[in-house]
């Protein structure tokens, strides 16, 4: 059949506008197309290659239908040229889908996802993703490998930066917000991107926080802790999933039929597309799961990996596997159908090209404004002895010190392939702007975060002596977190703590502002500082946002999305732990133990002799320039049936003298379970903004789903018994209300 006839046939099939096409119509287009494809063309659709410009090899591959998706090509002219080769010069004219890791912004960089999580503000997260989609799609990127919804409880793991932190519920809510932001309400609009929930699954549990490491996750824990954010993303319509690098209980995710078929397809009904991680089919060989690449290709197809990202396993072996009857063509067809469905859903058959006239929509004022607000809502005030906000009546000269004060490259964090350094506005820029250049004495002390050489200390100390206030910007360079960038020691790297000690010795008030890609163990540094601010790498607008917060123009409202350890050895650490049979009590710490004390002298409870128990700054915690009070929670009923609901309310009041926002957090505890339940679990949150003296009643509804848990891998139950419920400003404080789940609620209790 010649090309014109095929185009005419496809044209009939695709005559309706993409937005108007029903799923049934998409299926019929997909089947029609599948019926016309050779095996080689089918395998081509499953092949994803990294771009290398308009090179002969790539052009040949595209024209022969040998590639279905290209990642990392960001020049809109090249995108259009390659797309033209696919649409106009390949036999069937199937468009390519161009992909990229747009993780926290494309050009306008937002805070790393862990920072965005600190905002506890899904609307803000959605807005950031919308802006990222608009910018990236303007060069032809219609598929991003984001959100990463791996629950992460170990800050040694560098990829905690890309996550929404330690909590399953928060990760679910924010993952959904990101999916909505990228995909919008109509994925066929050319300014949207298909989302990709990654890395399916359990990657955040990499043993000992070392990247790519093995995981052992009992099925019940998998379903309780790690899978819900993925299920939420699937329910929210995430167009694609990516499987993870790690093995779970011995089976690498790329060959994990149970995960990719039993759970994702059969239980959840996901009908989108699954991509491997980079080279992850191939990596089943060193894992010790595949004999060779051919075996890996077969295992990938059987498990349900639709697209092979850069393993070259499908393109090298699938045709042969089918011809020898080791893989059925029907199995290949089902993978190809998922790829084609994605392309129809994106409207690529109708709108394959970038509109060059409106291309490169970057750095709109509104986008920069949103990026600034995102940092303002993400930065956490961890400690304040009154040094903040900067008091203009006392502070004339400010010493700006530390390696992160003017770190245009490092303040943006990990996964920013497209950022432009000169666009970063640093704290130094913004403070000069705000306070006047002559009032800022800049002496970094250390040029970069890992530096051990102290030759710059003398100038920093001199600056501190001449100033009324010291702002010390410390933290981690961008390269110290992210993929394959794990750390064992979670303290400030290099000589930063020593610098802080020297600054403190000047007697001047010292504010420590940390910018990092993970939670750090800051006990000694925070004890020294008069105020401590934590800002996960904030992106392009870090400087103006921090200046607004430090000066008091804007109030802090960020809350810890992870528990901050006192010492590195406490990790993994998370608030929703089990109580143990011997919860910490009457702790005797290492320096208080008498010499030659007996084995049982410290009380035999669950704590560390050197770090005690619990986090330095717990999940959900964060200060403000005002204060808030919470009334005890009021519940609508003290007894409910297992399928019943109740409401919980409390009054939040601003008891200070400034307007501010607090995050009211709803926690539950199931006291006695057939399997032991965590001490608290987040089930809702609301950011409340109150003027001084103002109060507001916040109300949450607790539904059966909020009380249920898996007591076997296949049964999720609400068990009768006593529950506590809190509405509190963090995961540790507040008084609970109690209620009972009973098989037969008494009439009185329901009234
Ligand atoms: C990462 C993924 C990423 C992919 C493509 C991999 O190394 O694990 O998160 O999406 O590369 O860049």
């Amino acid at each position: 059949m010649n090309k014109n006839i095929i185009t005419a046939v496809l044209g009939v099939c695709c005559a309706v506008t993409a937005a108007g096409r029903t799923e049934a119509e998409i299926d019929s287009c997909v089947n029609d197309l599948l019926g016309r494809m050779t095996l080689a063309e089918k395998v081509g659709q499953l092949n994803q290659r990294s771009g290398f410009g308009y090179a002969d090899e790539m052009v040949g591959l595209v024209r022969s239908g040998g590639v279905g998706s290209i990642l990392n090509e960001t020049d809109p002219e090249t995108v259009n040229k390659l797309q033209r080769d696919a649409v106009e010069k390949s036999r069937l004219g199937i468009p390519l889908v161009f992909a990229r890791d747009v993780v926290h912004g494309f050009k306008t960089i937002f805070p790393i996802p862990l920072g965005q999580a600190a905002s506890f503000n899904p609307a803000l997260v959605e807005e950031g993703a919308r802006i990222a989609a608009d910018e990236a799609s303007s060069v032809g990127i219609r598929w991003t490998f984001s959100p990463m919804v791996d629950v992460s409880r170990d800050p040694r793991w560098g990829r905690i930066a890309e996550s929404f932190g330690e909590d399953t519920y928060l990760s679910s809510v924010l993952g959904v917000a990101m999916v909505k932001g990228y995909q919008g309400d109509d994925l066929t609009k050319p300014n949207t991107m298909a989302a990709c929930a990654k890395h399916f699954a359990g990657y955040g549990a990499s043993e000992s926080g070392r990247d790519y490491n093995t995981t052992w996750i009992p099925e019940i824990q998998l379903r309780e802790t790690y899978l819900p954010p993925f299920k939420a993303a699937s329910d929210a319509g995430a167009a694609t999933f990516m499987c993870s690098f790690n093995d779970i209980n011995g089976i690498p995710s790329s060959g994990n039929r149970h995960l990719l078929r039993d759970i994702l397809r059969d239980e959840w009904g996901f009908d989108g597309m699954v991509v491997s991680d980079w080279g992850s089919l191939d990596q089943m060989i060193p894992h010790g799961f595949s004999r060779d690449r051919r075996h890996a290709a077969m295992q990938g197809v059987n498990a349900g990996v639709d697209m092979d990202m850069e393993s070259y396993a499908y393109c090298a072996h699938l045709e042969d596997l089918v011809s020898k009857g080791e893989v059925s063509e029907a199995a290949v067809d089902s993978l190809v159908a998922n790829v084609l469905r994605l392309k129809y859903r994106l409207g690529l058959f109708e709108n394959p090209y970038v509109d060059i006239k409106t291309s490169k929509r970057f750095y709109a004022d509104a986008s920069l404004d949103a990026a600034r607000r995102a940092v303002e809502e993400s930065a956490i005030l961890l400690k304040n002895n009154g040094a903040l906000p900067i008091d203009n009546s006392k502070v004339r000269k400010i010493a700006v010190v530390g390696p992160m004060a003017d770190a245009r490259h490092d303040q943006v964090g990990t996964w920013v392939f497209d950022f432009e350094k000169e666009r970063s506005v640093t704290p130094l820029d913004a403070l000069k702007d705000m306070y006047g250049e002559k009032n800022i004495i800049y002496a970094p002390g250390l040029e970069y975060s890992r530096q051990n050489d102290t030759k710059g200390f003398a100038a920093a100390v001199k600056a501190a002596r001449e100033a009324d206030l010291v702002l010390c910007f410390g933290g981690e360079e961008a390269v110290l977190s992210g993929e394959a960038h794990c750390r064992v020691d979670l303290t400030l790297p290099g000589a930063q703590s020593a610098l802080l000690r020297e600054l403190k010795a000047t007697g001047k008030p010292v504010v420590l502002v940390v910018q990092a890609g993970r939670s750090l163990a800051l006990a000694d540094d925070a004890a020294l500082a008069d105020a401590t601010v934590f800002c996960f790498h904030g992106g392009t607008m870090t400087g103006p946002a921090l200046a607004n917060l430090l000066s008091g123009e804007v109030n802090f409202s960020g809350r810890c999305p992870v528990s901050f350890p006192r010492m590195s050895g406490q990790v993994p650490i998370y608030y929703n732990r089990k109580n143990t049979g011997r919860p910490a009590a009457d702790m005797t710490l290492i320096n208080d133990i008498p010499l030659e004390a007996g084995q049982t002298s410290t009380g035999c409870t669950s704590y560390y002799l050197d770090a005690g128990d619990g986090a330095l700054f717990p999940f959900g915690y964060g200060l403000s320039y005002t204060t808030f009070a919470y009334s005890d929670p009021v519940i609508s009923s003290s007894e409910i049936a297992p399928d019943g609901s109740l409401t919980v309310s409390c009054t939040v009041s601003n008891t200070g003298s400034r307007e501010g926002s607090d995050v009211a957090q709803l926690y539950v505890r199931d006291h006695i379970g057939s399997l032991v339940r965590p001490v608290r679990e987040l089930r809702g949150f609301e950011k409340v903004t109150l003027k001084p003296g103002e109060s507001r009643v916040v109300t949450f509804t607790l539904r059966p789903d909020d009380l249920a848990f898996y007591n076997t891998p296949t049964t999720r139950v609400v068990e009768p018994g006593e529950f506590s419920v809190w509405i509190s400003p963090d995961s540790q404080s507040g008084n609970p209300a109690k209620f009972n789940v009973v098989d037969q609620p008494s009439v009185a209790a329901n009234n």
Side-chain angles (χ1 to χ4, degrees):
M1 203 185 282
N2 78 28
K3 173 97 193 349
N4 291 343
I5 298 173
I6 289 164
T7 312
V9 172
L10 287 175
V12 172
C13 183
C14 307
V16 248
T17 62
R21 190 182 277 129
T22 64
E23 285 296 322
E25 285 162 342
I26 288 181
D27 279 344
S28 113
C29 288
V30 166
N31 289 332
D32 178 70
L33 200 43
L34 262 174
R36 297 169 195 288
M37 294 170 80
T38 62
L39 181 58
E41 285 165 336
K42 289 176 186 174
V43 173
Q45 286 302 306
L46 309 181
N47 184 23
Q48 184 179 51
R49 292 289 297 273
S50 189
F52 39 87
Y54 197 70
D56 288 350
E57 190 199 336
M58 185 62 96
V59 174
L61 207 57
V62 171
R63 290 186 184 176
S64 67
V67 60
S69 171
I70 294 176
L71 73 156
N72 298 337
E73 180 53 70
T74 53
D75 170 41
E77 307 276 356
T78 307
V79 164
N80 274 354
K81 279 201 280 186
L82 288 167
Q83 191 69 295
R84 203 157 277 124
D85 285 326
V87 172
E88 296 171 22
K89 302 208 171 110
S90 77
R91 195 179 74 90
L92 291 174
I94 302 172
L96 296 160
V97 53
F98 290 88
R100 182 76 158 165
D101 288 278
V102 182
V103 172
H104 52 114
F106 183 65
K107 290 287 179 185
T108 305
I109 306 298
F110 282 70
I112 55 172
L114 190 57
Q116 295 188 40
S119 76
F120 280 74
N121 186 343
L124 198 83
V125 172
E126 183 173 339
E127 186 183 10
R130 182 86 290 286
I131 290 165
D134 191 61
E135 288 193 351
S137 63
S138 81
V139 301
I141 305 300
R142 294 296 311 283
W143 179 18
T144 178
F145 303 125
S146 170
M148 175 175 127
V149 289
D150 296 315
V151 169
S152 310
R153 296 174 163 181
D154 192 333
R156 289 174 300 183
W157 191 49
R159 301 202 80 168
I160 196 172
E162 299 170 55
S163 80
F164 296 118
E166 75 186 37
D167 185 63
T168 302
Y169 177 81
L170 183 62
S171 301
S172 303
V173 171
L174 300 184
V176 166
M178 247 187 201
V179 168
K180 285 190 189 159
Y182 292 136
Q183 299 195 169
D185 51 12
D186 175 2
L187 195 52
T188 64
K189 287 195 183 145
N191 68 344
T192 60
M193 293 193 292
C196 182
K198 72 184 189 186
H199 307 83
F200 195 58
Y203 189 28
S206 291
E207 204 173 87
S208 63
R210 184 162 58 84
D211 207 4
Y212 315 122
N213 206 1
T214 198
T215 69
W216 283 100
I217 312 176
E219 178 96 7
I220 286 177
Q221 195 193 4
L222 188 67
R223 287 174 180 275
E224 282 287 308
T225 305
Y226 294 98
L227 293 188
F230 287 98
K231 169 76 162 58
S234 167
D235 290 347
T240 72
F241 266 51
M242 181 187 291
C243 55
S244 55
F245 285 130
N246 57 291
D247 73 284
I248 297 194
N249 307 333
I251 305 185
S253 299
S254 306
N256 201 319
R257 212 186 145 86
H258 178 54
L259 272 181
L260 299 179
R261 289 202 190 272
D262 301 347
I263 296 178
L264 182 61
R265 300 285 180 189
D266 300 345
E267 255 183 61
W268 299 353
F270 177 73
D271 68 353
M273 198 258 269
V274 175
V275 65
S276 76
D277 203 344
W278 182 288
S280 68
L281 288 171
D282 242 9
Q283 289 159 27
M284 293 201 287
I285 304 167
H287 264 297
F289 192 68
S290 309
R291 287 186 298 278
D292 49 28
R293 188 178 277 180
R294 189 171 190 278
H295 189 205
M298 190 168 79
Q299 289 176 310
V301 174
N302 290 340
V305 175
D306 298 318
M307 187 176 272
D308 168 2
M309 181 198 290
E310 281 286 326
S311 278
Y312 309 84
Y314 286 176
C315 60
H317 298 292
L318 260 190
E319 282 184 77
D320 184 53
L321 282 164
V322 172
S323 72
K324 300 219 165 70
E326 290 171 76
V327 164
S328 71
E329 186 152 356
V332 174
D333 284 357
S334 79
L335 310 187
V336 178
N338 293 332
V339 175
L340 296 177
R341 199 176 300 116
L342 172 70
K343 294 182 175 184
Y344 279 108
R345 286 179 174 165
L346 279 164
L348 287 171
F349 284 87
E350 291 71 24
N351 273 317
Y353 302 115
V354 185
D355 181 352
I356 295 292
K357 290 193 297 297
T358 59
S359 181
K360 303 195 179 173
R361 293 185 298 273
F362 308 148
Y363 308 114
D365 286 348
S367 306
L368 293 169
D369 188 63
R372 194 205 68 243
R373 281 188 281 113
V375 188
E376 287 169 357
E377 290 203 35
S378 301
I380 312 164
L381 182 60
L382 293 174
K383 170 184 174 181
N384 189 10
N385 284 353
L388 292 177
I390 297 169
D391 182 345
N392 290 338
S393 68
K394 296 196 189 118
V395 176
R396 296 257 135 69
K397 293 247 183 261
I398 301 173
V400 173
V401 180
M404 295 296 288
D406 195 30
R408 260 171 246 289
H409 174 89
D410 289 308
Q411 72 176 28
V412 294
T414 187
W415 286 111
V416 285
F417 291 148
D418 302 287
F419 98 106
E420 291 162 309
K421 184 176 165 182
E422 59 280 8
R423 284 288 181 160
S424 294
V425 190
T426 68
L428 180 65
D429 295 333
L431 288 163
K432 280 183 179 166
D433 207 36
M434 184 175 270
Y435 289 96
E437 206 157 339
K438 64 177 188 332
N439 296 316
I440 302 292
I441 317 168
Y442 176 55
L446 293 165
E447 299 296 329
Y448 57 95
S449 74
R450 287 163 291 160
Q451 192 179 10
N452 286 309
D453 181 340
T454 58
K455 66 176 184 295
F457 278 23
V461 166
K462 180 165 176 285
R465 290 218 174 90
E466 286 166 15
D468 308 302
L469 174 72
V470 183
L471 299 178
C472 179
F473 292 88
E476 293 180 321
E477 293 150 75
V479 78
L480 297 186
S481 58
E483 184 176 348
H485 292 86
C486 304
R487 294 181 64 206
V488 165
D489 179 357
L490 298 172
T491 57
L492 287 170
Q496 293 185 67
S497 296
L499 175 62
L500 197 65
R501 282 195 295 276
E502 295 221 4
L503 295 171
K504 183 65 187 170
T506 63
K508 295 295 169 71
V510 177
V511 175
L512 172 64
V513 184
V514 180
Q515 297 167 64
R518 56 165 62 77
S519 45
L520 293 171
L522 291 174
D524 295 343
D525 307 301
L528 217 56
D530 296 283
T532 304
V533 172
F534 202 93
C535 179
F536 296 101
H537 289 137
T540 309
M541 296 299 280
T542 303
L546 284 178
N548 283 347
L549 289 163
L550 297 170
S551 67
E553 285 279 312
V554 172
N555 203 343
F556 281 93
S557 64
R559 303 291 176 253
C560 298
V562 281
S563 307
F564 281 62
R566 294 166 202 277
M567 298 171 85
S568 307
Q570 277 180 290
V571 301
I573 183 169
Y574 48 94
Y575 79 93
N576 47 351
R577 61 185 188 176
K578 309 280 172 59
N579 203 31
T580 80
R582 291 189 171 188
D586 301 326
M587 295 180 292
T588 308
L589 295 183
I590 197 157
N591 293 329
D592 301 323
I593 304 172
L595 292 182
E596 299 192 356
Q599 179 179 330
T600 56
S601 65
T602 58
C604 300
T605 66
S606 181
Y607 72 93
Y608 297 103
L609 295 180
D610 43 7
D613 180 46
L616 178 63
F617 303 112
F619 177 85
Y621 166 88
L623 299 171
S624 160
Y625 292 142
T626 189
T627 48
F628 299 95
Y630 283 64
S631 71
D632 287 345
V634 176
I635 48 180
S636 60
S637 175
S638 58
E639 278 185 11
I640 54 165
D643 60 354
S645 296
L646 57 79
T647 60
V648 196
S649 306
C650 106
T651 305
V652 183
S653 308
N654 182 341
T655 50
S657 54
R658 289 194 48 146
E659 182 174 310
S661 301
D662 204 22
V663 180
Q665 300 160 36
L666 175 75
Y667 293 97
V668 292
R669 176 173 185 180
D670 180 351
H671 285 275
I672 311 292
S674 57
L675 293 180
V676 172
R677 306 298 303 140
V679 292
R680 278 200 199 196
E681 289 178 286
L682 186 71
R683 286 293 180 257
F685 58 85
E686 189 181 328
K687 205 160 193 173
V688 203
T689 302
L690 298 169
K691 297 204 180 325
E694 196 187 352
S695 295
R696 174 133 5 114
V697 176
V698 292
T699 302
F700 298 95
T701 302
L702 272 179
R703 300 192 168 79
D705 204 40
D706 300 314
L707 308 178
F709 68 98
Y710 282 95
N711 64 352
T712 76
T714 50
T715 48
R716 196 151 181 271
V717 292
V718 177
E719 290 185 341
E722 188 184 43
F723 285 74
S724 284
V725 57
W726 295 256
I727 300 177
S728 50
D730 61 60
S731 59
Q732 305 301 311
S733 60
N735 297 320
K738 304 242 178 196
F739 66 92
N740 280 291
V741 170
V742 289
D743 282 331
Q744 294 283 306
S746 67
V747 176
N750 276 335
N751 284 341

